[in-house]
Amino acid sequence: MKLSDVVLTLEEIAPPELAEDFDIGRIGLTLDLENDIEKIAVALDPTEYVLKRAADIEADLLITHHTLIFNAVNRIDKALADVLKIALDNNISMYSMHTNYDRAKDGINDVLAKRIGLENIEETDMGRIGTISPCSAENFANHVAKSLDTHVWYTGKREEVSKVMVFGGSGFKSEFLETAREHGVDAYVSSELKHDIIRSWDDMLLVDATHYATENPGMEELCPRLEEKLGIDVEFIDHNPFIRTL
Amino acid sequence: MKLSDVVLTLEEIAPPELAEDFDIGRIGLTLDLENDIEKIAVALDPTEYVLKRAADIEADLLITHHTLIFNAVNRIDKALADVLKIALDNNISMYSMHTNYDRAKDGINDVLAKRIGLENIEETDMGRIGTISPCSAENFANHVAKSLDTHVWYTGKREEVSKVMVFGGSGFKSEFLETAREHGVDAYVSSELKHDIIRSWDDMLLVDATHYATENPGMEELCPRLEEKLGIDVEFIDHNPFIRTL
Amino acid sequence: MKLSDVVLTLEEIAPPELAEDFDIGRIGLTLDLENDIEKIAVALDPTEYVLKRAADIEADLLITHHTLIFNAVNRIDKALADVLKIALDNNISMYSMHTNYDRAKDGINDVLAKRIGLENIEETDMGRIGTISPCSAENFANHVAKSLDTHVWYTGKREEVSKVMVFGGSGFKSEFLETAREHGVDAYVSSELKHDIIRSWDDMLLVDATHYATENPGMEELCPRLEEKLGIDVEFIDHNPFIRTL
Amino acid sequence: MKLSDVVLTLEEIAPPELAEDFDIGRIGLTLDLENDIEKIAVALDPTEYVLKRAADIEADLLITHHTLIFNAVNRIDKALADVLKIALDNNISMYSMHTNYDRAKDGINDVLAKRIGLENIEETDMGRIGTISPCSAENFANHVAKSLDTHVWYTGKREEVSKVMVFGGSGFKSEFLETAREHGVDAYVSSELKHDIIRSWDDMLLVDATHYATENPGMEELCPRLEEKLGIDVEFIDHNPFIRTL
Amino acid sequence: MKLSDVVLTLEEIAPPELAEDFDIGRIGLTLDLENDIEKIAVALDPTEYVLKRAADIEADLLITHHTLIFNAVNRIDKALADVLKIALDNNISMYSMHTNYDRAKDGINDVLAKRIGLENIEETDMGRIGTISPCSAENFANHVAKSLDTHVWYTGKREEVSKVMVFGGSGFKSEFLETAREHGVDAYVSSELKHDIIRSWDDMLLVDATHYATENPGMEELCPRLEEKLGIDVEFIDHNPFIRTL
Amino acid sequence: MKLSDVVLTLEEIAPPELAEDFDIGRIGLTLDLENDIEKIAVALDPTEYVLKRAADIEADLLITHHTLIFNAVNRIDKALADVLKIALDNNISMYSMHTNYDRAKDGINDVLAKRIGLENIEETDMGRIGTISPCSAENFANHVAKSLDTHVWYTGKREEVSKVMVFGGSGFKSEFLETAREHGVDAYVSSELKHDIIRSWDDMLLVDATHYATENPGMEELCPRLEEKLGIDVEFIDHNPFIRTL
């Protein structure tokens, strides 16, 4: 199967024009070897570990959520060269879908909402809002931790939760929390919670469920969808950063 | 005592010219009532709770680490008006010292290094580097949690720790981690650890000890110093965001 | 009456989207106390004198043409604090309508044209153009001075006037004078006439009738309109800068 | 005498490096005909009238305070072409000295201070501060009007004047008024007074003595200085905009 | 005939809105003397030689492809003054049509394609693509040199040519060469070929036929078109830079 | 030999701080494999041909004048991937010295001046000025063509040449030609001559000797210098774009 045909399918799943402006230049083929594709690997990040695994399983294309080269470069350092060498020697092209896949139907945020078990789901520009059976803040945090198999870190004054907004990745931004407040949300689940956000938005329950655990499910569920659409083998590579808490 | 005289002393302790460029306009008197100062309150953030406490103890000046108005405003909304009203009705001027006090001698970073018990301390541009008796990663993380009385969240491949860099507040930035790497640091203690940093810097032990717990000690220790220098009453107001972890 | 309902009416009278680009962030509620409104004060500028008068008459909202904080601030100085304290202690919200009200139907420019007695009035983007009975330049300047109860200052080579353009506030700008020239205007009435404008546009009669006197009538006439629409008491506060001439 | 030699002398009198940043590209030869100079004309503005007079008196160079082309052009319109034709047909080069001559010793501001009779003159960055025998605000305004032979327009709450700051041209800017306030100035003499300045600075007496009348003396007094330094004929051309007041 | 009427016709031939963004301010009347037009001169560049010839033939308007003042000026130097004096003394207005005429129907690129004898011509945004009878690279280069009466300089690996793109003036830019590659072009004819372009695009035959020779024909053919449309005399002035090669 | 030691020597020869501002990020190691260096290749451009030759001769480092990635990239296309693969598979690091080596002593411009046989050489900021025995323009152009073994293309009105400025690469820029004019230069040798330069600077003889032929000698002569300094094998790779002229 031609790489360009795979790209057409990927653009149907996550139309590049859905991406945020800051993602310009970061969506699509980030390493374009114009090769034929018989097998695809999918992962959250293009780490060296992930590339090695992709080579082991003889993938021809690696699809990730985060791009290989975030800030444009004029120089290639050893770390980037090491990753590139694995890709070039094993003829693995690379493709990135980021905020376009966050927004897309059945993308990062939809999968996240589903994993947490939200009902009556409403789409906002980026996150998803839904309901759960009313429970205490602590029980809700516990439920999130179990659903996503992760540590969580939470704060805020809300004691009972029934309306929830989820936002995969780094979603504790005022503009999105504003949306949550306007919708009467009790708990906001995302990651990378910062001090200034806690100070301004603690009338809600703020649950930091890690960047990895809120986005990884969306990439995992991409695999069966792709297999069905393309009729070729698609394999997920899990590379969890091992976070501990005390 | 004239407010302008208090300001001179504060500028000795944390010279405004030490501040980062992004802090321009955010250091110094953020509410200047030109009043006389008999009593001073100190806190990390100018929250409504902190202002009320400052009024209760009849403070004439509130010194905080974070500024009242971060992004310049043309409009005053209800939340800001509520805080301002407490200050205006109780004649409390406000003063902010931020990255200038991070850098200053005996400022945020020096106090943080002392609390964690570092020895052979070396100043870098912002953080501080020092040594501890060699211990395992887990024991080190445990020691930080106890020293700062906080939850911690940690990751990374380093298994033994003897050289440590500390950076109060949001210090997981590549430029500062670069400094740590060049100095052969084993563990880096700061807050607001993000996913992309974990991916690029996990050859060190990365310990997120929360923004509050890494900066609050520096504000607390400002009180006795000010009392001694000014000869007036200075009281610390602790307003800990209650964070829980699972 | 809820503040938000008053705002809806003000936005009908002077739709914010009519404002010039430089007014972004300066139109609307500049101090939003979310209070109930029983009485409204109107003035050209939010000076300390005006705020005191607004407090005396127990106004809950002050509407002005010029905004309270023109350049966005990170700090509040004594002068701003003094004004804010009056507003906060007397629970007076503040609202600003500026270039949107200049342009609006029956706004600053329409009222100005009416006061000077123009006929056959034509709307341009900002100013208004109309006719008067032909008279000499000196008689016209005299008529303007009397109509607006102000000193005037005038120059230019046109000796007879029958077509007039008026522009409340600081309207001696090339782009607007260009419009006047294209319409065959004899006399241009506005304020804050500068030397470079005199040098390039003195083929018309240029009449500087002061910023205050050209804009104040529009604010004055806002009062009865508001009273009628809202059914509550609206009072005008006149704070004329006392200008003398020799 | 070579034009380049005249330029050297002009640069001694008003060093171009004294100019404000906004004057970059506007100081020096604005029409460089590389001609020999036997006679020089001086005026405030390069109006068509001034050019015609310069041609009548057979000047080879016209020195003005304001430049010929303020905003850089790609096109030459009829008005500019008319002025240029007079200059080109009569072989008149043009030279502009603006904020560099405002600041220079014996430049615009020094001459203005002398005309008004200030004593104990102190130089600030731009304006000049000095003293006069104490008098009432009205008497002072009257004295300025007579000294500069102009109408004046004044306002402000100060009733007695003994310390004065003068600033030729458009000097009612906050940064300069701040200087005046810090020096305890009672009256500020300049031109192009705007409403927002009146509102913020009316604790001083603000005297608008017109742009022309505050700058023209400095250009007039340039003539004898140049004649003495260069040994050639230098003639002043007065082109007063005829301003009337009511 | 009024100048404004001539301008209307010129804007029909080369609508200003077709121009590239960088040409803003550079299209249209560059010297507007508001004179009557009885005779028109046309040339590629407004050189002093061209202006003198325009004066000799008593032209009232000079139309050129390149503008008189490329970078906006605040000062007029001797070289520009010399050209302006010829124009002003002989009452010659000036008009420039540049990238708008490149793009326009029957403009620079259409005439160039016709001169080289292309068939089946296809319009792209700027250049034109067409076919010729297949020939060797050398024969094609020779044909271009003869058709345009110029030296040519060529490089690239393509050995047989049948599809050709032409681009008058400085057209060796990646964005336009990309278009050529997508259309399967064998030879690209333009001018000002640079080293970095040779390195990236030498799979095509790149023929540099000089800026002058690729644009001059379009200006020459403007003359009969204008004569027919306006009914007045239009004369072409050829000012070829004499280039030699070894 | 360690790569970092080779870099130190290269920085002595061409100090990076001599580079133009636009070269920021383009000087130094453009592919850093942190490998040991036993053999070095040198060329003007990092073309695929050059990389293959570097691999054939078993070079560990390729030094070029032009950088591998001119505009910073977020994506790696097939063409760049092909070049990178050769470098990565053969463990060839890459280093670029550009305008710093143009300016450096015995760099591009010094070698160019020597090749053409200039005497009494004077350094300017970038180019070099010197004298030759007086000769006709044609003879001079012929001499340049033979000295550099290249076609040349020349124009301009100067008929006799004795003072010459040379500038390797794309040096026909007004700022440098201004320097030439001030020094009374007769002939200017550089490359990538454009039409607008011909129009403004044809009082000199302008000789375009191609980008390649004016810069290649400087890279060639770098080889023996490096061999002597480093004591390892350094080989030059010549990849001339084959340019023909008619």
Side-chain angles (χ1 to χ4, degrees), chain E residues 209-222:
Chain E
T210 83
H211 200 117
Y212 195 81
T214 57
E215 294 191 331
N216 211 40
M219 294 312 283
E220 206 177 340
E221 297 207 5
L222 180 62

Side-chain angles (χ1 to χ4, degrees), chain B residues 19-65:
Chain B
E20 293 278 317
D21 282 352
F22 65 74
D23 262 339
I24 284 176
R26 294 174 179 151
I27 303 300
L29 283 167
T30 54
L31 177 62
D32 181 0
L33 301 181
E34 301 180 4
N35 54 336
D36 281 342
I37 308 300
E38 299 300 317
K39 176 150 191 176
I40 295 175
V42 172
L44 194 71
D45 302 294
T47 60
E48 193 172 340
Y49 168 86
V50 165
L51 262 295
K52 279 180 184 158
R53 281 287 305 146
D56 286 351
I57 64 173
E58 300 192 340
D60 308 302
L61 172 66
L62 170 64
I63 301 169
T64 59
H65 193 238

Side-chain angles (χ1 to χ4, degrees), chain D residues 25-34 69-78 81 84-85 88-89, chain E residues 25-34 69-78 81 84-85 88-89:
Chain D
R26 294 176 178 150
I27 304 300
L29 283 167
T30 54
L31 177 63
D32 181 0
L33 301 181
E34 301 180 4
I69 304 175
F70 190 78
N71 293 310
V73 295
N74 291 90
R75 302 158 178 245
I76 293 176
D77 63 15
K78 185 71 167 62
L84 279 174
K85 186 162 168 33
L88 292 171
D89 284 348
Chain E
R26 293 174 179 152
I27 304 299
L29 283 168
T30 54
L31 177 63
D32 180 359
L33 301 181
E34 301 179 2
I69 303 176
F70 189 78
N71 294 310
V73 295
N74 291 92
R75 302 158 178 245
I76 294 177
D77 63 15
K78 185 70 166 64
L84 279 174
K85 185 162 168 38
L88 292 171
D89 284 348

